[in-house]
Amino acid sequence: MERITPGGMLLGIDRDPGAVEAGRQALAAFGPAAVLVQGRFGDLESIAAAEGFDSADAVLFDFGISSAQLDAPERGFSFRAEGPLDMRMDQGSELTAERLVNRADVRELERIMRTLGEERWARRIAQYMVARRPLRTTRDLAEAVEAAIPRGAWPRDIHPATRTFQAFRMEVNDELGEIERGLEAALKILKPGGRMATISFHSLEDRLVKSYFNVESKDCICPPQQPVCTCAHRATLRIVTRKPVTPSEEEVAGNPRARSARLRVAERL
Ligand SMILES: C[S@@+](CC[C@H](N)C(=O)[O-])C[C@H]1O[C@@H](n2cnc3c(N)ncnc32)[C@H](O)[C@@H]1O
């Protein structure tokens, strides 16, 4: 806000009403130049239109969950503290983690953990979960994972339930779908020469952004073996960061949760 005022305006969007309120308080000094709205990244285009922002010079996405969400046991995001299996970023939405883990069949549970948690023990964990239903709390889920993965195969650097919790949280909030729709919306509202920047916290998010930027920066996306272009695709972005920008050691020392952050930037053509 200090860099863009006077003259500039910021539209801040978060699906968590608590985060929007915190943003309003933090940016109160900037008056009407900061507009904070509860909503989803995927709805960026319609939110921007409704708030009178017809185009943007810059769009910044800060994906994933916040410390405030992770550290509140009653939100159900953490295997470290006992809480209800909620995991909704927006508590007005319908699907909770509890409903998902108790209703989905064993194959669906396995799919979620394999694709969104890259968990190689997904099948066994799914079987243990089903056998232990109903699962009501974060502890119930963490214990099912601990029981399913043989002790000798527990990861050395992370808690064995880390991947499982990531997977269910991403499914409950459709995080990858939101990222995809958010990137498309950003492309539509950016002015030529405007930039979008993304901060990802794990490889699934980062891969999605990387491949989106790659496709959108190419004039042709036909398979390489095809002799003549038939796709009529035209580049809409120029990649600014060939490699993602990562935090310095100093930054990680001051904020350990930043250690896995990856920043990518692309410019609208
Ligand atoms: C890593 S935190 C960053 C929060 C804020 N930028 C800050 O630095 O305090 C990510 C935030 O994005 C929000 N979020 C995640 N997915 C979202 C989505 N699809 N639409 C809107 N907000 C989302 C979360 O509720 C969370 O508050």
Side-chain angles (χ1 to χ4, degrees):
M1 287 305 297
E2 279 160 8
R3 296 276 286 270
I4 66 169
T5 50
M9 284 188 73
L10 171 99
L11 172 63
I13 301 173
D14 199 297
R15 67 194 297 180
D16 187 330
V20 175
E21 191 42 46
R24 282 200 182 117
Q25 286 177 18
L27 301 178
F30 296 97
V35 180
L36 282 307
V37 177
Q38 192 219 337
R40 292 191 248 152
F41 298 154
D43 296 328
L44 170 62
E45 196 183 2
S46 58
I47 295 171
E51 297 298 328
F53 287 73
D54 54 359
S55 60
D57 297 298
V59 176
L60 167 65
F61 291 103
D62 194 357
F63 297 131
I65 52 170
S66 66
S67 292
Q69 290 164 339
L70 193 61
D71 295 338
E74 71 279 10
R75 303 292 300 267
F77 287 107
S78 175
F79 44 78
R80 294 187 197 285
E82 175 131 38
L85 274 172
D86 188 321
M87 300 196 191
R88 289 170 302 173
M89 290 177 177
D90 163 11
Q91 287 165 308
S93 67
E94 271 193 14
L95 182 64
T96 62
E98 180 175 346
R99 198 163 116 183
L100 184 63
V101 301
N102 288 305
R103 293 206 192 164
D105 65 26
V106 69
R107 297 178 70 158
E108 176 70 355
L109 295 174
E110 179 186 347
R111 179 200 65 79
I112 292 168
M113 286 181 280
R114 203 173 293 290
T115 56
L116 298 179
E118 301 183 301
E119 173 57 71
R120 55 191 199 92
W121 296 94
R123 175 162 304 165
R124 251 172 87 94
I125 298 171
Q127 289 163 345
Y128 274 65
M129 285 171 64
V130 169
R132 287 168 173 240
R133 283 177 183 175
L135 304 167
R136 298 283 177 230
T137 68
T138 49
R139 205 55 251 146
D140 294 344
L141 179 58
E143 282 170 5
V145 179
E146 288 166 6
I149 308 180
R151 192 98 204 183
W154 282 23
R156 248 176 284 151
D157 45 347
I158 53 170
H159 185 280
T162 307
R163 293 172 182 282
T164 298
F165 272 66
Q166 172 186 302
F168 286 113
R169 182 203 99 202
M170 290 181 72
E171 178 76 14
V172 164
N173 297 290
D174 185 20
E175 289 180 48
L176 295 183
E178 285 291 328
I179 293 178
E180 235 165 58
R181 292 188 288 277
L183 293 170
E184 276 162 20
L187 191 66
K188 287 197 190 136
I189 68 168
L190 272 178
K191 291 178 187 161
R195 288 182 170 189
M196 67 168 109
T198 61
I199 305 174
S200 309
F201 289 87
H202 55 76
S203 54
L204 289 173
E205 291 171 343
D206 189 51
R207 233 178 281 154
L208 193 58
V209 175
K210 184 180 169 188
S211 78
Y212 185 79
F213 283 5
N214 276 343
V215 169
E216 287 308 321
S217 62
K218 288 197 176 86
D219 268 337
C220 165
I221 52 170
C222 291
Q225 63 274 23
Q226 194 172 302
V228 184
C229 171
T230 51
C231 71
H233 188 269
R234 286 293 162 261
T236 50
L237 290 176
R238 178 181 75 80
I239 298 174
V240 176
T241 48
R242 273 283 149 207
K243 291 226 166 78
V245 179
T246 54
S248 64
E249 277 178 30
E250 267 166 276
E251 189 171 354
V252 175
N255 176 16
R257 282 178 178 166
R259 70 185 176 280
S260 44
R262 300 272 174 279
L263 172 79
R264 291 186 186 270
V265 182
E267 190 171 277
R268 183 77 167 93
L269 292 172

